[in-house]
Amino acid sequence: MSHIVSYHVHGAIAEAVVDNPPVNATSASVRQGLAEAIRKAEADPEVRALVIRCAGKTFIAGADIKEFGKPMAEPQLPALLAMMDRATKPIVAALHGTVLGGGFEVALAAHYRVALPETRFGFPEVKLGIVPGAGGTQRTPRLAGLETTIKLTTEGGQIDVAKALASGLIDAIAEDGDLGLAALAYAEKLVVEGQGPRSAGTLPMPADDPALFEEARKALSRKMRGQSAPLKILDAIRLGYEMDFDAALLQEFALCRESIAGPQSKALRHMFAAEREVARIPGLPADTPTRLIERVGVIGLGAMGRGIVMAIVSAGLPVIAVGLDQEHVDAAMKAIGKMWSSSVAKGSMTQEAMDKRLALITTSDDMHDLAATQLVVEAVTEDMAVKKAVFATLGQVTQPDTILASNTSFLNIDMLAEASGRPEDVCGMHFFNPAHVMRLLENVRAAKTDRDVVATIMALGKRIGKLPVLSGVCDGFIVNRMLSKRSREAFFLVEEGASPAAVDRVLLSYGFPMGPFALGDLAGLDVQAAARKARAATATERELRADFVEQMVAEGRLGQKSGSGWYSYDENRKSGPNPQTDAMIAAHAERHGLKLREIGEEEILQRLLYAMVNEGAKLLSEGIAARADEIDVAMVNGLGWPSHSGGPMFWADQIGLDKVLAAIERFRAEQGDAYWTPAPLLVQYAGEGRGFTA
Ligand code: 3HC
């Protein structure tokens, strides 16, 4: 036997143990080893049952993603599971960790399933743009019914042992903690009781429910707009009603392979790998020491500061929350309590969890109380003078090695670092609004930030459930700097004749959750006007002329919160067209002698998105982003760039950088060098016929 799958016989029970770190994926050697174990157990007259178990932290967590798109060695997973179906001796799967995808399919092809209490189960294939390929859509409905199957396979979430047991997906929970012994005992009991093998494939499909499929199709088309896998998975489940079990398995596998070969899965697999890659910082070895963080300070308790407090205590870390004065502190605690209470009311949080979190927050209006922290996150008002003063004080009142992080979204952190008097301890931790919800955390390395500070904030980001991406210092870091180029183009498009609604529609149908104008209304036009003001000194005349937000703010139109912005809003914040916006655009054109023209969807899309790709190339050559992976992960998780196109840099690679460059050159001829000079790295890569991510 291979060392990847070892085989032992304990009396009448054989045991196959898979040991394929890190997650026991069903790589070729695992499939071959398991096939051999089944053959051996079947051939040995002394063996009456077989247990399949895994070493390490988890049972098989899926097919091996690294094998996708390459020729697959035999046996393929469905063939292995067919062997299990046909086995004449009972097979027991002993489950722990995360039983996912192909791993869940192996478990369901076993005849009996025993799991440790903390085990989680799921079909994450949909998140990789894939249809489950080894019976997930066929065995699950026969065991657990349609509703559970549709939810598990199309949404990609996980369930716990209680739910798995109640749905018939497992048979027993191994309560006493020794899974190996529990599974052997379970198998022995089967033998004693004379229980034979049983294949889920011999069970009937549950009663058909076309309305349930229709409902799911509608909900998925809305929730996972633009993604093809969820709907293909519904088709795969339906196969169970259209043909017999074996034929349905063949068709399911064909759909799986087809989805793996498609562009969406390629993009989603890029995202999966990139999300893991960004945790590895070039030049910063994994064993770089980190500083011990036991208590965090947050200074500034506006919307961002509150969200940061909530994010940190959610991970069980105590926080000292410092506000300007007692009134601000009280208001912040009231707002935090209100948000958590509404989660409790909705049932997404228990009262006990809320009480625990509240107990982790200490409040103060005195910065001296931050002396007891190892990290302070500053989230005071976005004003350089105010922030500099805060950093000067923080440098004095905190311990000599307390990390000082700014949540600024565009100010120069090097200047804050100097103001603190100990720049090596200063960095950025840029959260996205709402900070307790959004996964992205842009960690910023300033010119003098110590290596252990970088390692510490990357580890801390993960500890508090965020997806940390490292950026260098520049105006707006990765996400806001790229976004500012999109906003600029959006304003120019409106000046040239595209309606805001048309621009938004193009991005919505590309897959963004909302377009730039709906986003402006949501964030607040006053906030956008303030950001434009802060950048006015470096703006071009044309950028200053496109002063729509300033015009609206002057009229008290601040977006959603005032009921009127680019769109108008009813009391439930439902948007509708705003005639004032049309009038403003027409008057603006007349005032400045602008000639409006029809602008096609392709031009809108290319100008909005290529402007970001070009800026991304600049971020790479400036070293602000170490790799294209940082940009793709940040834009998907910070701005809502649709993950199934893989983020801006991967997407541009798929189009071909020569084509992207040609379009940018065309826009340059029409719009001028100031906005469309191609990034030298784009020109270079296009010339070399390579991509950003390849
Ligand atoms: N194939 C290959 N490598 C995998 C893998 C898989 N299915 N799942 C995880 N890995 C690798 C990761 O790339 C990472 O490698 P790295 O250290 O070199 O970066 C390592 O395992 C650890 O992964 P994480 O950093 O994600 O570790 P966590 O402990 O945070 O999470 C996990 C573990 C919950 C298993 C998570 O990795 C995960 O969700 N994996 C994906 C599972 C999945 O999608 N399975 C379905 C695959 S498709 C399939 O099975 C098709 C079938 O129907 C035929």
Side-chain angles (χ1 to χ4, degrees), residues 132 213 299 411 428 461 509 594 633 675:
F213 280 97
I299 176 159
L411 295 176
S509 61
L594 305 173
V633 170
Y675 313 111

Side-chain angles (χ1 to χ4, degrees), residues 50-74:
L50 171 68
V51 169
I52 297 178
R53 181 166 71 80
C54 288
K57 64 176 185 177
T58 182
F59 188 75
I60 300 166
D64 188 342
I65 298 169
K66 295 185 195 82
E67 286 185 350
F68 289 176
K70 300 183 187 144
M72 283 252 201
E74 298 296 334

Side-chain angles (χ1 to χ4, degrees), residues 22-23 25-26 57-58 61-66 68 77 98 100-103 105 123-125 128 130-134 158 253 256 260 272-273 276-277 280 462:
V23 298
T26 57
K57 64 176 185 177
T58 182
D64 188 342
I65 298 169
K66 295 185 195 82
F68 289 176
L77 197 53
T98 41
L100 302 177
E105 291 173 312
F123 288 111
E125 283 91 336
L128 297 170
I130 293 170
V131 174
Q158 296 181 2
F253 190 42
C256 171
I260 288 177
F272 180 86
R276 281 149 187 86
E277 198 53 39
R280 290 185 268 266
K462 197 163 180 205

Side-chain angles (χ1 to χ4, degrees), residues 613-638:
V613 170
N614 199 35
E615 199 62 21
K618 291 179 189 166
L619 287 169
L620 283 176
S621 47
E622 291 166 22
I624 301 295
R627 294 155 300 193
D629 285 348
E630 267 79 8
I631 298 177
D632 286 342
V633 170
M635 296 304 280
V636 166
N637 293 282

Side-chain angles (χ1 to χ4, degrees), residues 413-489:
I413 296 180
D414 287 325
M415 291 169 78
L416 302 179
E418 290 311 321
S420 76
R422 43 190 180 88
E424 60 284 357
D425 297 323
V426 175
C427 59
M429 287 181 83
H430 179 218
F431 291 78
F432 287 74
N433 196 11
H436 60 297
V437 176
M438 294 287 283
R439 248 181 111 210
L440 182 67
L441 170 64
E442 270 179 337
N443 279 333
V444 186
R445 167 160 48 188
K448 295 185 181 161
T449 310
D450 260 351
R451 292 155 61 82
D452 64 345
V453 169
V454 176
T456 305
I457 57 173
M458 292 304 288
L460 182 79
K462 197 163 180 205
R463 185 170 159 198
I464 63 172
K466 299 290 174 203
L467 182 50
V469 167
L470 191 64
S471 168
V473 174
C474 68
D475 185 350
F477 314 119
I478 297 173
V479 174
N480 283 331
R481 179 161 150 190
M482 287 178 68
L483 178 61
S484 70
K485 299 299 176 268
R486 186 184 84 173
S487 306
R488 181 171 76 189
E489 275 315 300

Side-chain angles (χ1 to χ4, degrees), residues 562-627:
S562 72
S564 175
W566 292 101
Y567 300 92
S568 66
Y569 297 88
D570 67 14
E571 60 282 6
N572 299 317
R573 294 205 172 189
K574 194 171 163 5
S575 67
N578 193 340
Q580 284 179 291
T581 298
D582 300 339
M584 170 183 73
I585 294 168
H588 182 87
E590 198 172 321
R591 192 160 54 247
H592 297 290
L594 305 173
K595 227 171 120 219
L596 304 183
R597 65 184 171 99
E598 280 277 323
I599 306 181
E601 289 186 1
E602 191 184 0
E603 180 180 341
I604 293 176
L605 188 73
Q606 290 187 346
R607 280 178 57 185
L608 294 176
L609 301 193
Y610 287 176
M612 288 198 269
V613 170
N614 199 35
E615 199 62 21
K618 291 179 189 166
L619 287 169
L620 283 176
S621 47
E622 291 166 22
I624 301 295
R627 294 155 300 193

